[in-house]
Amino acid sequence: MQSQHAAKRPAPPSSDGPLVDVGQAEAALVEHYPRLVRLAYLMLPPEQGGRSRRVLTAHALVQRALPRGRTAAPAIPAQPRKSADGRAAHSARPARADDEDGGPGYALVRLQVVRTALRACPSRRRGARRRRAGLSALPPLPPLPPLLPQVWGLRLFPRSGGAEELALEQRLSALSGPARAAWVLRGPERLSDDDVRAVLTDAGVADAAGALREADRVPAEYRLLGSPAFDPCSLQARPTDLVRRRRRLKAALAAGAALVVCGALFGLPDDGWGPDGAAAPPYALNRAAQAALDPGKLTRVSPAVWKSSARTDFSVWPARGDLAGDAGLLRRALAVWARPGQRVRVSATPGTPSGGPAGPPQLLYAGTVDNARVVILHDGLRITRYAEPLDGAEGAALDFARVDGADRAGASALVLGRSDGNVRYLTAPWVRSAGARDLREPGADTADLSLTDGVTSPLAGPVPKPGSCTSWNVLELTDDTGTRLVTDLGELVPAVLTAGRPGAAGAAAGAEALRTWSPFACSLASMRSAGVRSVNAWAFAEQPLPDASGSAAWVCTRAETWQGGGTRVLAQFHTPGAPVGVVAAQAEDVPQCGEREPRVLAGVLWKSGAGTWYLLAAGSRGTTSVTATGGVEGTAQGNLLTLEAEQGAQADLEGTLENGAPVTGLH
């Protein structure tokens, strides 16, 4: 069946079109400048050096779009054609604030912007990309100077958008250049498909119909283009690396002084270059800093040390990986750690310093992981992960995680890498086996994972879909002391899962612990990227429900962090038949539900099957009475309270402990 875009290809524009001189073209460019820059920005490939570079390139392409003399305008309207009743052919698309017809001058400048944007592809893999995109007929674009365009001392980029804008940007990034141009000409420019084919053909695209078919894959979400995330004329300004600029200035001054000295020395007699004539380098590192950057001085632990050591933490991990002897890779990793460049993505868990090592660190791993070379180092306080792509050092990443005080459980695994929604772990030398378990399915069997030199096979990461959570995959590790569960929360060190009363909690791998965790597994998503060290689930009460609705479970989950502060406590409530529990109360940096204060009191408004609303409250063991005041009032002896209430009512809770001390509701 023939595609809807396989219509007869329009003939090339005739040179008999209206002539446009430079003045007309300049007037159209100035009047419609924001519109043209947005057009160029949307058509440029996302890999155009990041958002800042892409913005500057878009402005440069528009400003280079003026013709050199009188030029025939293309036979394509600057605005959409009108139907017989006078309405725009694309009336379903959103209106634009600059709907005035730009005339032949605008059509000519727009064509030049489209042509140059399609040719402004990165130099790497340019030939293959141009052939796939149908651009083989286009001559190469005269390149801009390597460092231009540039705004010295500032980084300019559009404001960040929301989830919808990010999703649209990702969809557009998957399209070829002609397809992106087709999508933009259809949307913001509101051209018909025939006019889009004509513009692309005039711009040198060999397969304009194919570009339209490819553009069909992206929904017509043109309303999102009004967001500041797609406005290259409304920008944020941030400084470049100030410390690096200062260092470069000092280095430039030192280099200039060295050139002056060298020039003077060349004018001296031959004996002017004696043994002591060589100048010292412009700067020098102390011995500790030099040793920290020397891959030959890295600490490497023997594979058998952990068996006899009194410590079971990262300090006894051996050096592993197929690239552990690659001095060049290790030198790059150490240099980037000490002086990360502007293009290196650096991340650190809360409370983790990101400075260079004070001395030679310990090598834990250096090897190939999926499509990257990865180096993991330990300096006693932090785990540092350096990763670079296999095809070069562009796009390197540097991640830090604080691990001081790690015990056997906390030092049982590290995240090596994430790819396509999967996670690979590097396990401790004492781990004998690894498996994958769905925390939402406590009765399901564990899926075995292979271990190769301590590296696991890929495990699907715990990334629930927005609005739903049907599974939460965790890593199950077994050693001579038992089995424990850890989960990836988006950081280098996975969080250890435990269950039980604070102070007496154990690993969450047992049948009862798994049943406790099952309804509340998805609440772990709220603890991502917070430097979480461990999360404990404590079933502190079970409450009979009114109207013969069964019994509800009260569970308190407490996340401890590596930095000590920033703890997060959730009191959660689960009724029979409900797929997941709900958060009844939450607090941060409080001692409740922890080893120092193993007590908690929380309440929730609940609607029974008969349609009656109730205030339900429960306290932990040792609570002798619970009182509600405010929107609902009443007192109950013991640790459970059930009172009829109005929908939306609010109440304050207070309980009394066995020793007479008060306890307030978690909030």
Side-chain angles (χ1 to χ4, degrees):
M1 180 177 178
Q2 190 175 16
S3 169
Q4 61 175 334
H5 299 305
K8 180 174 67 175
R9 186 173 177 177
S14 170
S15 60
D16 297 332
L19 293 178
V20 177
D21 59 26
V22 177
Q24 289 176 286
E26 182 184 18
L29 188 151
V30 172
E31 181 180 359
H32 299 281
Y33 185 79
R35 177 175 161 190
L36 290 166
V37 175
R38 188 190 298 260
L39 185 70
Y41 179 79
L42 290 170
M43 285 191 292
L44 284 172
E47 63 266 25
Q48 191 76 30
R51 291 196 302 160
S52 177
R53 183 72 176 172
R54 187 176 165 198
V55 163
L56 297 177
T57 303
H59 282 271
L61 293 181
V62 172
Q63 294 175 20
R64 299 172 71 195
L66 286 178
R68 295 184 179 277
R70 291 174 62 84
T71 307
I76 304 166
Q79 292 293 322
R81 297 186 177 94
K82 305 289 183 179
S83 60
D85 59 0
R87 292 180 297 177
H90 290 278
S91 59
R93 293 189 171 96
R96 223 183 13 245
D98 54 349
D99 272 346
E100 296 83 0
D101 190 342
Y106 174 75
L108 176 63
V109 175
R110 179 181 63 193
L111 175 61
Q112 182 63 14
V113 170
V114 173
R115 180 181 291 123
T116 54
L118 289 175
R119 288 153 59 188
C121 295
S123 59
R124 290 187 305 164
R125 305 183 297 277
R126 179 185 290 240
R129 288 193 175 191
R130 289 165 66 89
R131 286 193 295 272
R132 288 198 301 269
L135 298 174
S136 57
L138 290 173
L141 179 69
L144 296 169
L147 296 178
L148 298 177
Q150 182 63 269
V151 178
W152 299 107
L154 288 178
R155 293 174 56 247
L156 303 175
F157 49 88
R159 297 183 179 275
S160 298
E164 290 182 325
E165 288 84 351
L166 179 60
L168 177 59
E169 177 77 7
Q170 291 174 341
R171 294 190 191 103
L172 291 177
S173 68
L175 298 179
S176 64
R180 281 196 306 272
W183 192 90
V184 174
L185 291 172
R186 275 176 168 175
E189 291 299 299
R190 298 186 295 129
L191 295 182
S192 68
D193 285 355
D194 289 340
D195 291 338
V196 172
R197 274 192 293 270
V199 172
L200 294 180
T201 301
D202 289 349
V205 176
D207 185 11
L212 282 165
R213 286 194 298 271
E214 186 181 351
D216 286 339
R217 301 205 304 256
V218 177
E221 298 175 319
Y222 304 121
R223 62 178 178 81
L224 298 178
L225 298 184
S227 164
F230 297 105
D231 186 358
C233 290
S234 178
L235 303 174
Q236 295 184 101
R238 294 292 186 272
T240 55
D241 190 332
L242 301 178
V243 175
R244 180 172 292 274
R245 280 166 49 191
R246 182 180 298 174
R247 290 174 179 171
R248 287 178 175 173
L249 178 60
K250 291 180 179 178
L253 293 175
L259 287 175
V260 171
V261 172
C262 290
L265 289 176
F266 273 117
L268 296 176
D270 291 343
D271 57 0
W273 287 101
D276 298 327
Y283 63 92
L285 298 174
N286 59 44
R287 292 184 178 181
Q290 289 176 340
L293 300 179
D294 185 356
K297 288 184 169 56
L298 285 172
T299 301
R300 298 171 185 256
V301 176
S302 170
V305 166
W306 69 270
K307 297 179 180 179
S308 57
S309 173
R311 302 178 60 175
T312 49
D313 55 17
F314 294 109
S315 66
V316 296
W317 277 34
R320 289 171 286 181
D322 58 310
L323 300 178
D326 189 334
L329 172 64
L330 299 178
R331 182 176 290 107
R332 288 196 299 275
L334 292 169
V336 170
W337 184 356
R339 304 182 306 276
Q342 188 175 0
R343 295 186 178 181
V344 176
R345 181 188 62 80
V346 180
S347 69
T349 60
T352 305
S354 57
Q362 175 188 353
L363 175 64
L364 302 186
Y365 181 86
T368 304
V369 182
D370 296 324
N371 296 318
R373 287 182 287 266
V374 175
V375 178
I376 295 185
L377 303 164
H378 176 231
D379 67 351
L381 171 68
R382 301 165 292 176
I383 293 292
T384 303
R385 176 184 179 271
Y386 168 79
E388 64 180 28
L390 291 177
D391 58 354
E394 293 294 329
L398 192 65
D399 304 302
F400 297 93
R402 183 173 173 176
V403 294
D404 52 315
D407 55 10
R408 188 185 188 98
S412 58
L414 292 173
V415 173
L416 267 185
R418 301 178 182 90
S419 177
D420 299 327
N422 296 321
V423 186
R424 286 186 188 270
Y425 294 90
L426 177 66
T427 61
W430 51 82
V431 171
R432 292 190 284 107
S433 64
R437 173 179 286 280
D438 185 355
L439 202 57
R440 294 279 289 115
E441 298 290 340
D445 293 333
T446 302
D448 292 336
L449 296 176
S450 64
L451 282 178
T452 305
D453 200 16
V455 179
T456 68
S457 52
L459 165 65
V463 184
K465 297 179 180 178
S468 66
C469 180
T470 58
S471 67
W472 188 275
N473 294 325
V474 297
L475 178 66
E476 184 177 277
L477 301 172
T478 302
D479 59 25
D480 293 336
T481 64
T483 300
R484 59 182 54 91
L485 300 181
V486 298
T487 185
D488 176 23
L489 294 182
E491 298 172 338
L492 278 179
V493 185
V496 179
L497 300 182
T498 58
R501 182 177 177 83
E512 182 178 353
L514 290 173
R515 286 192 297 269
T516 299
W517 262 111
S518 176
F520 310 103
C522 297
S523 65
L524 290 167
S526 66
M527 304 171 187
R528 295 177 62 88
S529 303
V532 173
R533 177 175 186 167
S534 64
V535 187
N536 182 59
W538 172 33
F540 66 90
E542 185 173 344
Q543 184 170 22
L545 296 173
D547 301 337
S549 300
S551 295
W554 286 92
V555 170
C556 185
T557 56
R558 180 182 176 92
E560 301 285 357
T561 66
W562 287 98
Q563 62 176 330
T567 56
R568 183 177 178 85
V569 179
L570 303 178
Q572 304 190 65
F573 179 75
H574 181 241
T575 56
V580 296
V582 297
V583 176
Q586 58 183 324
E588 294 186 1
D589 291 325
V590 295
Q592 285 90 339
C593 201
E595 187 172 352
R596 292 179 58 188
E597 289 193 24
R599 55 182 174 81
V600 65
L601 172 64
V604 67
L605 281 177
W606 175 79
K607 183 179 180 181
S608 70
T612 304
W613 284 91
Y614 292 90
L615 170 65
L616 304 178
S620 54
R621 186 177 62 186
T623 303
T624 59
S625 67
V626 179
T627 300
T629 57
V632 183
E633 295 189 352
T635 300
Q637 297 302 310
N639 67 327
L640 302 176
L641 172 70
T642 302
L643 297 173
E644 287 194 20
E646 298 292 335
Q647 181 180 359
Q650 296 184 356
D652 295 324
L653 297 175
E654 184 171 341
T656 303
L657 300 178
E658 292 175 339
N659 60 5
V663 56
T664 58
L666 188 69
H667 57 81

